[in-house]
Amino acid sequence: MDPEEFRAAGYRAIDWIADYLGGVDRYPVLARVRPGATRAALSADPPEDGEPFDAVLRDLDETVVPGITHWNHPAFFAYFANTGSGPGILGELFAAAFNTNSMLWKTAPAATELEELVLDWLRKMLGLPAEFRGLVQDTASTASLVAAAAAREAVPGFDVRIRGLQGTPGAPRLRLYLSEQAHSSIEKAAVVLGLGLEGVRKIPVDGEFRMRPDLLARAIAEDREAGWLPFFVTATVGTTSTTSVDPVVPIADVCEREKLWLHVDAAYAGSAAILPEMRGILAGCDRADSLVVNPHKWLFTPVDFSAFFCRDLDVVRRAFSVVPEYLRTREEDEVRNHMDYGVALGRRFRALKFWMVVRHFGIRGIADRLREHIRLARLFADRVDGEPGFVREAPVPFSVVCFRARPDDLAERVSEPAVAAYLDGLNERLMHAVNDTGRAYLSHTKLGGRFVLRLAIGNLRTTEAHVRRAWELLRDHAARIDSETRPDRL
Ligand SMILES: Cc1ncc(COP(=O)(O)O)c(C=O)c1O
């Protein structure tokens, strides 16, 4: 593709994307394809000869787009809704154009330094301590894995880096702690690090889904007694199911007393600390050893961009750095070579997209939009609270509402197994019915064993009208499904 051909195709691609983003709500939010359909509609073999861009665009329109679930749709309310914003998309374009690999400072000085700079911007935006140093990871899952590996490296007298787990016979077994509501990525980290799922202890939560620090302290004492070596605690600010916030201050007290690494998973909700009125959500996080927040969740940055902060990046380097001769450089004593701080050698120029997002919106612009998402979520929660056939299942500290349909005349009998099973089925059917309309997409979780719907607001194009429409769909379908499916005996 010579520069002129690139220019012509590029203008068309940008026009295509601008039209797409401007009219994304004309698509069904959730792809309607059956498993295997996209693949079956495309050539099973690579082309022998190159094809014109037109042919590729045609397949994109006719086959790829129908298989897209539109995360950029204003009625995408599932999981943690997000936005690949215009400035973020342009950042991705430049990153691909430069195609730098920031494994070493020398191979990508600007990418390395811009990464350090934008994470320092984010640190200041969130009010985190000056000692925290940042590093961009692809996902929060990777960031938490890196945190747990560093914490293990910091355990005195446990030289797993050199001796490996097998080479340390008789060593105490390591254990990490998280709440019952923490994200599965922490358990995955335990699996990857060879701690096994037995090396994970889940601490019960209170009535509002927050970790119980007293039970954390008790679990650690019991485990020490039983010969475990506690080393790592994850507190979550904004859990995945309900966005509950663990009490980080008393958890930090336990970690300090017990000399454990405190990691804070603020992947979704950490961004809200940009709002002065929400700063309190990170209370105690200044005492953490590491923290992760995902701009690709709620800061309008296209996937993938996860910000990992650590009080002592030297420990991370000790855990991961292996430098062969061909990666030695003259500057290595003066700079951070980012390959030394994680699993991957090669690294994309991710900082560019976040830099462009922050420069485009400014702190004020970002804060205004987050505030609006929180307002919309409260509005939806008010609708749920005011409707006799629905019930809210968790507090709404941010932009996610957990709720379920619960017909009025069944409310008092929810503990009866037949009623509980009917309500689970009703809510599951309701979710599928609404999602099948293509006009909204919600996801679910289980709380206390019950099937619960989640409505998450995080897309820049979502307006009050979209939220109102989702509510009307839910209300109408709930009434219809209840009248069509309720057994006579209930
Ligand atoms: C609290 C929390 N932590 C971690 C993750 C994992 O994020 P990622 O997809 O960036 O690995 C999620 C994903 O939703 C999450 O909600």
Side-chain angles (χ1 to χ4, degrees):
M1 207 175 242
D2 66 34
E4 287 317 312
E5 197 183 349
F6 179 81
R7 192 187 311 280
Y11 281 137
R12 292 185 60 203
I14 294 288
D15 279 344
W16 193 103
I17 294 169
D19 289 343
Y20 169 71
L21 294 176
V24 64
D25 51 359
R26 68 175 179 267
Y27 297 101
V29 194
L30 188 61
R32 291 189 161 143
V33 286
R34 299 293 310 154
T38 304
R39 188 161 176 181
L42 294 169
S43 169
D45 296 305
E48 206 59 53
D49 295 307
E51 296 180 72
F53 190 56
D54 269 342
V56 182
L57 264 190
R58 197 176 327 114
D59 278 350
L60 189 90
D61 270 323
E62 291 173 6
T63 309
V64 175
V65 170
I68 299 277
T69 287
H70 296 279
W71 285 71
N72 257 341
H73 195 295
F76 186 107
F77 297 117
Y79 309 104
F80 285 121
N82 64 18
T83 316
S85 64
I89 294 167
L90 293 175
E92 288 282 29
L93 190 63
F94 281 104
F98 294 131
N99 195 30
T100 57
N101 183 335
S102 55
M103 54 193 193
L104 299 164
W105 176 89
K106 188 187 189 72
T107 58
T112 302
E113 294 188 18
L114 200 63
E115 179 167 335
E116 293 171 9
L117 178 81
V118 294
L119 285 202
D120 212 42
W121 280 11
L122 181 59
R123 179 189 65 72
K124 291 175 182 165
M125 288 158 72
L126 300 176
L128 293 169
E131 311 87 82
F132 277 24
R133 293 280 171 272
L135 205 70
V136 179
Q137 304 284 2
D138 52 0
T139 58
S141 304
T142 302
S144 293
L145 169 68
V146 167
R152 184 171 67 175
E153 181 62 26
V155 174
F158 196 74
D159 194 3
V160 74
R161 180 190 159 92
I162 303 297
R163 301 176 60 89
L165 286 176
Q166 306 96 305
T168 319
R173 294 177 75 193
L174 293 169
R175 205 162 223 195
L176 63 80
Y177 301 81
L178 39 68
S179 92
E180 287 167 344
Q181 293 287 320
H183 192 263
S184 52
S185 53
I186 314 294
E187 287 166 84
K188 253 193 203 176
V191 172
V192 173
L193 292 174
L195 310 181
L197 290 176
E198 284 183 6
V200 175
R201 180 146 178 189
K202 293 189 181 177
I203 307 300
V205 293
D206 65 15
E208 295 193 352
F209 310 103
R210 301 171 296 203
M211 189 198 283
R212 291 260 313 264
D214 55 326
L215 298 183
L216 170 68
R218 193 189 302 166
I220 291 167
E222 280 169 11
D223 284 354
R224 286 201 195 281
E225 187 67 29
W228 289 94
L229 183 57
F231 80 111
F232 183 82
V233 176
T234 297
T236 310
V237 172
T239 55
T240 312
S241 283
T242 69
T243 73
S244 60
V245 177
D246 286 341
V248 180
V249 172
I251 293 172
D253 289 341
V254 173
C255 290
E256 205 166 281
R257 203 164 54 236
E258 299 285 343
K259 299 196 170 22
L260 309 185
W261 183 289
L262 173 58
H263 175 61
V264 175
D265 179 354
Y268 153 70
S271 301
I274 290 171
L275 303 178
E277 67 272 26
M278 298 288 279
R279 256 307 145 77
I281 61 163
L282 293 183
C285 294
D286 53 333
R287 295 164 65 192
D289 295 285
S290 55
L291 179 143
V292 59
V293 54
N294 272 2
H296 75 215
K297 284 197 182 351
W298 203 12
L299 286 182
F300 320 135
T301 305
V303 174
D304 51 355
F305 188 105
S306 181
F308 172 64
F309 292 100
C310 189
R311 182 176 296 285
D312 184 2
L313 272 184
D314 272 351
V315 186
V316 180
R317 192 166 45 78
R318 286 209 312 271
F320 285 99
S321 178
V322 176
V323 185
E325 185 51 39
Y326 45 83
L327 292 173
R328 299 231 86 101
T329 62
R330 271 190 307 200
E331 301 82 5
E332 62 193 22
D333 294 333
E334 300 168 64
V335 297
R336 247 165 56 188
N337 287 324
H338 286 169
M339 67 167 188
D340 286 337
Y341 299 86
V343 177
L345 169 68
R347 307 177 84 254
R348 308 195 312 114
F349 194 170
R350 294 193 184 92
L352 210 44
K353 56 184 166 180
F354 184 62
W355 186 60
M356 292 200 179
V357 165
V358 178
R359 293 196 63 177
H360 174 81
F361 291 100
I363 299 173
R364 205 190 325 274
I366 291 173
D368 287 348
R369 286 158 177 92
L370 297 182
R371 209 174 271 123
E372 173 65 1
H373 288 168
I374 294 169
R375 185 187 76 83
L376 293 176
R378 297 209 169 126
L379 208 76
F380 183 86
D382 287 346
R383 294 286 168 106
V384 171
D385 292 345
E387 185 77 22
F390 279 79
V391 62
R392 193 148 55 78
E393 294 287 341
V396 181
F398 304 104
S399 66
V400 174
V401 186
C402 290
F403 64 100
R404 63 195 322 233
R406 196 186 68 186
D408 222 15
D409 47 341
L410 288 171
E412 278 164 20
R413 297 164 52 214
V414 282
S415 57
E416 283 178 32
V419 173
Y422 173 68
L423 290 178
D424 279 352
L426 170 66
N427 280 282
E428 190 167 353
R429 284 192 197 101
L430 174 58
M431 181 181 77
H432 292 310
V434 168
N435 291 348
D436 286 347
T437 66
R439 294 168 60 206
Y441 178 26
L442 282 81
S443 59
H444 79 282
T445 187
K446 278 204 167 166
L447 295 175
R450 298 197 294 226
F451 192 97
V452 168
L453 302 177
R454 278 172 86 266
L455 179 124
I457 295 169
N459 188 274
L460 283 175
R461 294 175 195 85
T462 303
T463 64
E464 199 169 316
H466 296 107
V467 176
R468 203 176 320 117
R469 209 169 305 139
W471 169 244
E472 285 160 8
L473 276 173
L474 283 157
R475 211 187 37 197
D476 295 351
H477 281 279
R480 177 185 61 74
I481 297 168
D482 186 35
S483 74
E484 286 173 6
T485 63
R486 179 143 14 140
D488 290 340
R489 66 200 153 77
L490 297 185

